[in-house]
Amino acid sequence: ITKKNKKMEKKKQAVLSISGGLDSTSLLLHLLANNYEVKVLSFNYGQKHLIEIQRVQSNLEYLKSKGFKVEHNVIDLSILGKLYNSALTKKDIEIPIGHYEEKNMKATIVPNRNAIFSSIVYGYALSISIEKRTSVEIFLGVHSGDHAIYPDCTEAFRSSIETAFKIGNWGSEKVNFSAPYMEGNKTSILQDAIESCKKLNLDFETIFRNTNT
């Protein structure tokens, strides 16, 4: 394929839920490096670490300066911070300190969070698919380290909720979930990000200095 033909090649459509952390940021780079037109959603669910959305915006500004335009929308679910019991949202519950997979980290679970996020992301992807008459892939940045603590980051949960969405929507045959990091870990994810940055001619340190994990 010539350079001219590469430019004319139709981009694949992707929707990504981006938190501003290492995993979803790496996945965004991966998609851009693999010829996806990416639309991203962030969620304000009343989390204490709301700075993560600011970090997303900083990285998207950097990407734009390098010629990569990514459409970004922030979904306001801040009421969940008052309704849901979690160390990430309740002022009177301290965020635990410890290893990522220790049991005390279960205090950081936000009830049904990924089901809520996935439902909104799916509706968005389906709308794009109908409007553009094309297939759309939803990408999730979950990885092996998530599985022990967060049941809504498991393959069983992902496949089950995708089945439910397909049953409940017309046109769902054109929308699919992908979780390329499902069997990976932080090391393999960062290695993938390094390769993506090389392909895209981006500065790895600039991007990951802007993340909040």
Side-chain angles (χ1 to χ4, degrees):
I1 301 174
T2 66
K3 288 185 178 180
K4 184 177 180 181
N5 286 336
K6 276 187 176 181
K7 288 182 180 179
M8 294 175 64
E9 187 180 346
K10 188 177 181 180
K11 288 183 177 291
K12 297 168 283 187
Q13 298 293 313
V15 173
L16 170 67
S17 175
I18 189 166
S19 69
L22 183 154
D23 309 320
S24 56
T25 301
S26 296
L27 188 48
L28 172 59
L29 297 173
H30 176 91
L31 296 175
L32 292 175
N34 285 277
N35 199 42
Y36 280 89
E37 179 181 334
V38 191
K39 291 179 172 57
V40 298
L41 295 177
S42 297
F43 294 90
N44 172 3
Y45 57 95
Q47 65 268 46
K48 296 173 184 176
H49 50 292
L50 199 57
I51 189 176
E52 62 187 11
I53 294 178
Q54 297 172 15
R55 297 293 176 86
V56 171
Q57 292 166 338
S58 295
N59 263 332
L60 294 182
E61 287 172 10
Y62 171 71
L63 289 172
K64 186 177 179 180
S65 74
K66 296 297 181 179
F68 301 99
K69 187 178 179 182
V70 178
E71 184 178 321
H72 180 220
N73 287 286
V74 179
I75 308 301
D76 185 6
L77 299 173
S78 54
I79 186 62
L80 300 185
K82 296 180 180 179
L83 300 179
Y84 286 9
N85 189 58
S86 169
L88 296 188
T89 57
K90 288 287 187 180
K91 291 181 180 179
D92 58 344
I93 305 177
E94 289 190 15
I95 296 177
I97 297 173
H99 189 274
Y100 190 72
E101 295 183 14
E102 288 180 5
K103 287 185 177 180
N104 66 320
M105 298 305 283
K106 287 184 178 179
T108 64
I109 292 174
V110 179
N112 212 36
R113 177 175 60 178
N114 278 354
I116 295 167
F117 291 1
S118 295
S119 182
I120 294 170
V121 171
Y122 193 91
Y124 183 42
L126 188 58
S127 296
I128 294 168
S129 173
I130 294 169
E131 181 183 351
K132 294 194 172 186
R133 297 182 181 180
T134 187
S135 296
V136 178
E137 219 165 337
I138 296 170
F139 282 87
L140 307 172
V142 295
H143 59 84
S144 61
D146 291 326
H147 304 174
I149 300 299
Y150 303 111
D152 59 359
C153 288
T154 61
E155 174 61 23
F157 172 83
R158 186 208 62 76
S159 60
S160 295
I161 203 166
E162 181 177 14
T163 299
F165 289 156
K166 285 186 177 297
I167 292 170
N169 289 282
W170 297 116
S172 58
E173 68 278 0
K174 289 191 174 182
V175 178
N176 294 292
F177 279 96
S178 291
Y181 297 153
M182 183 66 79
E183 302 304 320
N185 55 34
K186 295 290 185 183
T187 301
S188 63
I189 291 170
L190 278 174
Q191 289 171 337
D192 183 62
I194 289 170
E195 291 304 311
S196 296
C197 284
K198 288 178 182 177
K199 288 180 183 178
L200 299 168
N201 197 26
L202 299 173
D203 183 62
F204 176 88
E205 291 188 10
T206 297
I207 290 173
F208 284 91
R209 195 180 294 120
N210 280 333
T211 60
N212 185 67
T213 296

